[in-house]
Amino acid sequence: MEYYLVKWKGWPDSTNTWEPLQNLKCPLLLQQFSNDKHNYLSQVKKGKAITLKENHRALKPALAEYIVKKAKQRIALQRWQDELNRRKNHKGMIFVENTVDLEGPPSDFYYINEYKPAPGISLVNEATFGCSCTDCFFEKCCPAEAGVLLAYNKNQQIKIPPGTPIYECNSRCQCGPDCPNRIVQKGTQYSLCIFRTSNGCGWGVKTLVKIRRRSFVMEYVGEVITSEEAERRGQLYDNKGITYLFDLDYESDEFTVDAARYGNVSHFVNHSCDPNLQVFNVFIDNLDTRLPRIALFSTRTINAGEELTFDYQMKGSGDISSDSVDHSPAKKRARTVCKCGAVTCRGYLN
């Protein structure tokens, strides 16, 4: 007869008991137990001559330890998922998944929905004027006042080339929330999953639903710091082999977004030399051209289950002309090997 060592919720380990299968009324936990056991034995089988049907009077200590760690990881990831969804302010849900290893939630990451200014930096998030259109799609709206074209078509898809700024309607505008020129400010509309990659790239992000081409997917947010501070932090990040610095160099090179500790889902989006996301500069309530918001739009149709990526150098998408504005992430001194696997891979991230 099979017996299971049970940890009773709310009770110390000293009260653990061995229970026969008929005493357990937890089919989901038992299924997870079975799956974890099978996955572990499958991994062991790759390196040793062992059959999955091998019968033991007791689980081997290494297997038992793995199952316990996997269960604790699953609980930790579920709590993190719940926390992310409590903190986010957009429609799309956030899911977390790790079927690759025992890595748990990041220990030093804080979810934010908008830029977090570093001490000494002021972000003016209130527009001084707005449009009075009755239909912003046909009248002289905020983009025209800024000397650019309206960024979107009637299907809420971006129609301007990369390098062209987006000016959306703001809090002073008389148009309502259904205005066709209010897209980025509504936040992510798609359900996304932060997942552990199997190619050594750590965490990544995949979409759980189909995304049409040229659609807004997410913003890149983080802590806004000076370029001097970014240079200092960049030295530290290089030593750790990480890069979350993104220069706000639309018009000047005064500020950088650092998403290492503070960020949203975009913090986990990986690089690709053949990406499916493209960066655009956006201005809504803050019209300071030194501080654009960074929006990521799909370059093509992205199917459900597909990983989302953008080019950390903002090249190779096929949409950028040689005279477009340079949106490349901030200074990267150490050469970092690229693992994107694209046919057009440049070999390095920088």
Side-chain angles (χ1 to χ4, degrees):
M1 181 182 292
E2 287 187 342
Y3 283 85
Y4 294 79
L5 182 60
V6 176
K7 167 71 169 70
W8 295 98
K9 187 174 182 180
W11 292 81
D13 289 345
S14 59
T15 62
N16 291 357
T17 58
W18 288 94
E19 300 291 339
L21 183 60
Q22 62 265 28
N23 286 5
L24 303 182
K25 310 300 180 186
C26 45
L28 178 59
L29 285 175
L30 287 169
Q31 184 60 53
Q32 290 173 339
F33 178 94
S34 177
N35 292 343
D36 292 342
K37 177 182 176 183
H38 182 273
N39 291 338
Y40 178 85
L41 292 176
S42 298
Q43 295 170 14
V44 172
K45 185 181 179 183
K46 294 177 182 178
K48 299 180 181 178
I50 182 175
T51 64
L52 297 182
K53 295 182 180 179
E54 190 172 352
N55 188 23
H56 299 288
R57 290 182 60 83
L59 295 183
K60 289 186 175 181
L63 172 53
E65 181 182 9
Y66 173 84
I67 290 175
V68 171
K69 286 182 177 179
K70 197 66 183 176
K72 290 181 177 180
Q73 177 205 49
R74 189 176 291 113
I75 294 171
L77 292 179
Q78 181 62 52
R79 288 174 178 169
W80 185 42
Q81 176 179 299
D82 294 342
E83 179 187 355
L84 294 177
N85 283 289
R86 283 195 303 268
R87 292 182 177 274
K88 58 95 173 172
N89 64 358
H90 49 76
K91 178 182 177 181
M93 296 295 292
I94 303 172
F95 296 86
V96 179
E97 173 186 283
N98 186 352
T99 60
V100 175
D101 55 30
L102 292 171
E103 186 72 17
S107 59
D108 193 25
F109 174 73
Y110 305 93
Y111 195 93
I112 58 175
N113 294 290
E114 56 187 22
Y115 284 161
K116 174 182 173 63
I121 294 179
S122 175
L123 299 181
V124 180
N125 287 316
E126 183 176 353
T128 55
F129 60 89
C131 73
S132 56
C133 306
T134 55
D135 190 335
C136 295
F137 198 79
F138 294 103
E139 300 179 44
K140 187 177 181 180
C141 192
C142 300
E145 293 292 342
V148 298
L149 296 174
L150 181 72
Y152 311 113
N153 61 23
K154 290 184 178 180
N155 295 320
Q156 300 183 345
Q157 296 167 295
I158 196 162
K159 63 180 184 180
I160 59 176
T164 307
I166 299 171
Y167 280 84
E168 290 196 357
C169 291
N170 57 59
S171 57
R172 291 294 183 96
C173 295
Q174 296 182 20
C175 53
D178 295 328
C179 168
N181 193 36
R182 296 182 185 271
I183 303 297
V184 172
Q185 61 194 263
K186 291 182 179 180
T188 299
Q189 302 295 298
Y190 306 103
S191 290
L192 305 176
C193 179
I194 301 170
F195 75 106
R196 195 70 175 170
T197 64
S198 57
N199 61 356
C201 290
W203 295 101
V205 179
K206 62 183 176 181
T207 176
L208 299 180
V209 295
K210 184 177 180 179
I211 300 176
R212 295 180 305 167
R213 65 190 297 265
R214 297 186 174 275
S215 297
F216 169 67
V217 180
M218 69 180 77
E219 272 194 79
Y220 190 93
V221 303
E223 184 182 10
V224 178
I225 59 178
T226 63
S227 295
E228 291 77 12
E229 174 64 12
E231 186 69 22
R232 186 190 70 81
R233 294 187 186 185
Q235 300 282 357
L236 300 175
Y237 295 160
D238 285 344
N239 295 332
K240 297 179 180 179
I242 61 174
T243 300
Y244 295 103
L245 298 174
F246 202 116
D247 280 345
L248 298 179
D249 54 3
Y250 168 67
E251 190 172 82
S252 63
D253 194 18
E254 294 182 46
F255 301 107
T256 295
V257 176
D258 182 4
R261 295 187 68 203
Y262 300 95
N264 61 1
V265 175
S266 64
H267 166 99
F268 302 97
V269 175
N270 283 315
H271 160 86
S272 175
C273 298
D274 183 22
N276 50 28
L277 299 180
Q278 171 66 54
V279 166
F280 283 84
N281 291 289
V282 185
F283 298 95
I284 307 176
D285 280 311
N286 189 344
L287 301 179
D288 187 342
T289 53
R290 301 173 304 166
L291 294 163
R293 290 165 67 165
I294 303 300
L296 298 170
F297 286 77
S298 57
T299 60
R300 57 173 174 78
T301 299
I302 306 175
N303 294 317
E306 190 174 347
E307 182 174 3
L308 303 175
T309 58
F310 72 95
D311 190 332
Y312 287 3
Q313 292 189 36
M314 295 302 106
K315 300 175 184 177
S317 69
D319 286 331
I320 300 183
S321 61
S322 59
D323 59 348
S324 67
V325 179
D326 179 15
H327 305 301
S328 59
K331 300 83 179 167
K332 300 190 186 84
R333 289 149 294 271
R335 295 283 278 175
T336 305
V337 176
C338 181
K339 301 178 181 178
C340 74
V343 176
T344 56
C345 180
R346 297 187 295 268
Y348 293 91
L349 297 184
N350 51 335

